[in-house]
Amino acid sequence: MAEAMVLPQHQEKNGFKNQTIRVGTRKSQLARIQTDSVVQGLQEHHPHLCFEIVAMSTTGDKILDTALSKIGEKSLFTKELENALERNEVDLVVHSLKDLPTSLPAGFTIGAVCKRENPHDAVVFHPKHAGKTLSSLPEKSVIGTSSLRRAAQLKRGFPRLEFKDIRGNLNTRLKKLDEKEDFSAIVLATAGLRRMGWDSRIGQILSPMDCLYAVGQGALAVEVRAKDQEILDMVSVLHDRETVLRCIAERAFMKHLEGGCSVPVAVNTVLKDFQLYLTGAVYSLDGSECLQETMQTSLSCPEEEESEDGPSDDVQHVGITARGIPRSAQEAAEKLGIRLAELLLSKGAKHILTVARQLNEA
Ligand code: DPM
């Protein structure tokens, strides 16, 4: 499965002598595409290093007949890859940030969060409904999704439609949509569809009014051993400041709510003029109940801050080691997420999530 990318011409200034950096990935086509793009970014910054991609199957890839939210294992797509990291079989692992739990197991950290693709959800229609939108589909049309978050919001906004589970990787889902009559449309992340080169199948991108996105959606994360300073340094060039700060706020919100992929929690973030805005919501499974609020915080001007960061800036915020990003901004983003979670908890979010979790497990 492994394949060499580029042969080293010279050696890097320090460390990595003649050493190949091994990059772990899941085997799905989307995972491979995502990993290739991260390796390409690393290769551009480190032209003298040699990268090798090692592809592995994970529990999430093997169990294809059960809704993700029902498997009840938080690290569905990550455990096998983390085991390989721990055993030094690979040096870094590429994931969709949204598949990484808000607390990583001890010894691991997210060493880079790359610039986010469009984080919104998209609707792909059956060819016979090409050109339609969710509003113009016939009554009782069946929409495929196994995301509790998408289903809850869309049931609320589009009560004329029906929702059914659909599993499998992106290729499988598109096949199920096109080759059968079971679904009129399916809902997927815009980011995944774009990365697969399926832009032309996107019939509608859902605005935050129709559907808030998942925590971390659209961003790629590089997971590493927390103590591996050389690798942490090497991958930190990929950090995108805006994405990191938005995702710290989103993950802090999720963590403080004690959410996970088995409960309907959704967000929207905007960073503009050093102001970070976070909208967060929780839903009952049928969408009949909803709590949604927005809060903002100021992120002080980064230029003033750079000098403040001492050499030991390896603090983690919700699992992310954000070298080179002002610590005060990271802390403000994390506090924003916690404050918003506290506000929703004070309005009864805990009850909504507990009932949703129980119903989902039943
Ligand atoms: C998580 C969810 C889904 C994935 C739950 C959610 C979608 C599950 C489903 C946590 N992970 O979003 O509410 O539709 O059955 C996943 C996708 C991507 C990363 C595919 C997708 C690609 C986009 C990205 C699966 N994880 O959401 O369409 O990089 O964010």
Side-chain angles (χ1 to χ4, degrees):
M1 263 305 144
E3 60 208 41
M5 298 293 291
V6 169
L7 293 169
Q9 306 282 326
H10 307 278
Q11 289 173 5
E12 191 85 333
K13 298 187 287 290
N14 42 34
F16 307 129
K17 290 172 224 73
N18 276 334
Q19 178 192 328
T20 299
I21 315 264
R22 284 150 309 163
V23 182
T25 179
R26 292 169 50 206
K27 282 185 180 172
S28 76
Q29 193 186 348
L30 178 62
R32 298 298 302 259
I33 290 170
Q34 295 184 162
T35 303
D36 287 349
S37 85
V38 166
V39 168
Q40 196 185 333
L42 289 173
Q43 191 75 78
E44 277 164 21
H45 281 93
H46 307 285
H48 306 313
L49 291 181
C50 177
F51 296 91
E52 179 187 320
I53 296 176
V54 182
M56 290 168 251
S57 293
T58 65
T59 314
D61 300 308
K62 289 172 197 153
I63 311 175
L64 292 175
D65 48 354
T66 315
L68 283 187
S69 59
K70 293 230 181 204
I71 302 173
E73 160 76 74
K74 265 211 267 172
S75 48
L76 213 56
F77 292 116
T78 57
K79 198 185 251 158
E80 282 88 349
L81 294 164
E82 280 165 351
N83 290 344
L85 255 185
E86 191 159 42
R87 292 193 297 257
N88 288 308
E89 290 165 10
V90 296
D91 303 302
L92 55 111
V93 164
V94 179
H95 306 277
S96 282
L97 181 61
K98 85 162 168 171
D99 295 327
L100 280 180
T102 52
S103 303
L104 300 184
F108 302 103
T109 189
I110 297 166
V113 181
C114 309
K115 190 170 167 49
R116 195 174 217 174
E117 242 290 4
N118 183 323
H120 300 282
D121 292 311
V123 190
V124 177
F125 293 88
H126 189 281
K128 73 177 181 200
H129 292 300
K132 293 204 173 94
T133 64
L134 289 183
S135 312
S136 62
L137 280 176
E139 186 150 357
K140 296 212 158 51
S141 292
V142 177
I143 312 300
T145 177
S146 39
S147 156
L148 301 179
R149 171 187 63 81
R150 290 172 182 147
Q153 293 185 82
L154 297 175
K155 281 175 188 169
R156 187 176 175 85
F158 301 89
R160 301 179 317 114
L161 302 176
E162 287 179 8
F163 296 86
K164 288 217 170 81
D165 269 343
I166 182 167
R167 271 294 328 267
N169 60 37
L170 288 190
N171 310 59
T172 315
R173 289 188 196 200
L174 279 212
K175 247 188 151 159
K176 282 185 187 168
L177 172 69
D178 289 350
E179 293 175 6
K180 295 184 184 177
E181 299 287 320
D182 298 358
F183 301 102
S184 297
I186 57 178
V187 187
L188 295 165
T190 302
L193 288 163
R194 290 220 169 130
R195 292 184 191 122
M196 296 286 280
W198 292 335
D199 288 64
S200 63
R201 289 303 308 268
I202 297 176
Q204 180 179 11
I205 292 186
L206 297 172
S207 78
M209 298 278 281
D210 287 329
C211 193
L212 299 175
Y213 45 82
V215 166
Q217 185 160 307
L220 299 183
V222 180
E223 190 179 16
V224 302
R225 293 178 288 271
K227 288 205 173 120
D228 198 335
Q229 297 300 328
E230 280 183 338
I231 295 285
L232 262 171
D233 251 349
M234 195 267 297
V235 301
S236 66
V237 295
L238 295 182
H239 268 312
D240 176 73
R241 182 188 303 244
E242 173 176 339
T243 307
V244 169
L245 294 171
R246 288 170 61 188
C247 290
I248 286 178
E250 295 172 13
R251 285 170 63 83
F253 170 69
M254 174 76 116
K255 182 172 182 179
H256 207 71
L257 278 178
E258 296 175 56
C261 76
S262 56
V263 284
V265 173
V267 295
N268 187 72
T269 46
V270 176
L271 201 164
K272 197 166 179 273
D273 302 330
F274 297 107
Q275 293 294 307
L276 178 60
Y277 303 82
L278 169 65
T279 298
V282 303
Y283 306 87
S284 59
L285 290 190
D286 63 2
S288 63
E289 286 177 276
C290 163
L291 289 171
Q292 180 183 321
E293 295 291 342
T294 301
M295 278 186 166
Q296 83 184 83
T297 193
S298 162
L299 304 173
S300 43
C301 190
E303 281 72 31
E304 297 166 15
E305 296 265 345
E306 224 78 71
S307 57
E308 263 183 44
D309 284 335
S312 62
D313 58 347
D314 275 359
V315 233
Q316 287 195 39
H317 291 96
V318 278
I320 302 172
T321 303
R323 284 195 176 166
I325 295 174
R327 206 186 299 173
S328 61
Q330 296 183 52
E331 277 161 11
E334 182 169 32
K335 279 201 192 110
L336 175 65
I338 294 172
R339 273 200 292 133
L340 188 69
E342 276 167 356
L343 177 62
L344 290 193
L345 289 169
S346 77
K347 296 186 173 217
K350 184 117 208 166
H351 180 69
I352 292 179
L353 292 179
T354 305
V355 173
R357 211 172 271 126
Q358 283 166 353
L359 284 174
N360 186 51
E361 276 160 17

